[in-house]
Amino acid sequence: MTMEMDQLYSDIILEHNQTQENKHELADATLSEHGHNPSCGDDITLQVKIVDGIVKDAAYTGHGCAISQASADMMIDVIKGKTVIEALRLTELFLNMIKREVTDDDELEELEDAIALKNISNMPARVKCAVLAWHTLKEALAKEEKQ
């Protein structure tokens, strides 16, 4: 990976951390899940509105480092408008990218800007920050499917 790509990815992460459009309470959420990363204090509450098996809207509140906040923002951009099954599949794809089980950029393209977190696996201390929102979503959707 070239230095330019690293810089581009850093810029994408910063941009998502600063963009707060997905960071708010979601009044008509159908499910809510709290996620916490004790190792660095990242704390989010993810709210999702699911109608007829489609993620109509999603938002998060809470606080944390730039990576956890950016990752939550990117994730919401990726899952909005998708079916619950598709959102779960994309969540698995993201987690597999972080674990380096999926490395093909063509396959990872579906993750949109979240692909910028691909190299976080080189920084083990930051991995939990990057996956917090995605794990929280996975837990929330798993509960949704059981209902």
Side-chain angles (χ1 to χ4, degrees):
M1 169 102 33
T2 63
M3 285 301 279
E4 292 98 47
M5 284 305 284
D6 279 344
Q7 188 55 52
L8 175 69
Y9 283 175
S10 297
D11 290 348
I12 291 171
I13 291 167
L14 285 173
E15 188 183 308
H16 276 277
N17 180 44
Q18 288 160 355
T19 309
Q20 303 282 304
E21 64 192 49
N22 291 324
K23 189 174 183 175
H24 57 84
E25 293 281 337
L26 191 60
D28 56 355
T30 56
L31 66 133
S32 177
E33 188 73 33
H34 179 247
H36 182 68
N37 176 1
S39 63
C40 69
D42 295 332
D43 196 277
I44 67 163
T45 298
L46 180 66
Q47 294 177 302
V48 185
K49 179 182 180 183
I50 295 174
V51 180
D52 299 330
I54 308 277
V55 178
K56 287 289 185 197
D57 203 359
Y60 74 99
T61 53
H63 59 271
C65 69
I67 290 171
S68 75
Q69 299 287 288
S71 186
D73 189 69
M74 292 171 183
M75 178 192 75
I76 288 170
D77 287 347
V78 169
I79 64 164
K80 266 190 205 172
K82 304 283 194 303
T83 64
V84 169
I85 291 160
E86 186 69 359
L88 278 168
R89 188 185 66 77
L90 290 164
T91 300
E92 285 303 319
L93 182 61
F94 178 83
L95 296 173
N96 288 336
M97 171 185 79
I98 298 295
K99 290 186 252 174
R100 293 189 176 150
E101 289 170 11
V102 178
T103 54
D104 180 4
D105 283 348
D106 290 339
E107 243 181 286
L108 297 172
E109 214 169 70
E110 294 180 277
L111 294 173
E112 298 167 28
D113 282 357
I115 201 171
L117 294 166
K118 183 179 185 182
N119 286 348
I120 223 87
S121 52
N122 300 333
M123 299 177 272
R126 311 309 293 180
V127 166
K128 285 181 179 159
C129 309
V131 300
L132 176 64
W134 300 80
H135 276 302
T136 305
L137 175 69
K138 194 173 163 180
E139 284 173 33
L141 294 177
K143 288 178 184 172
E144 174 71 10
E145 285 198 317
K146 284 180 187 147
Q147 288 180 0

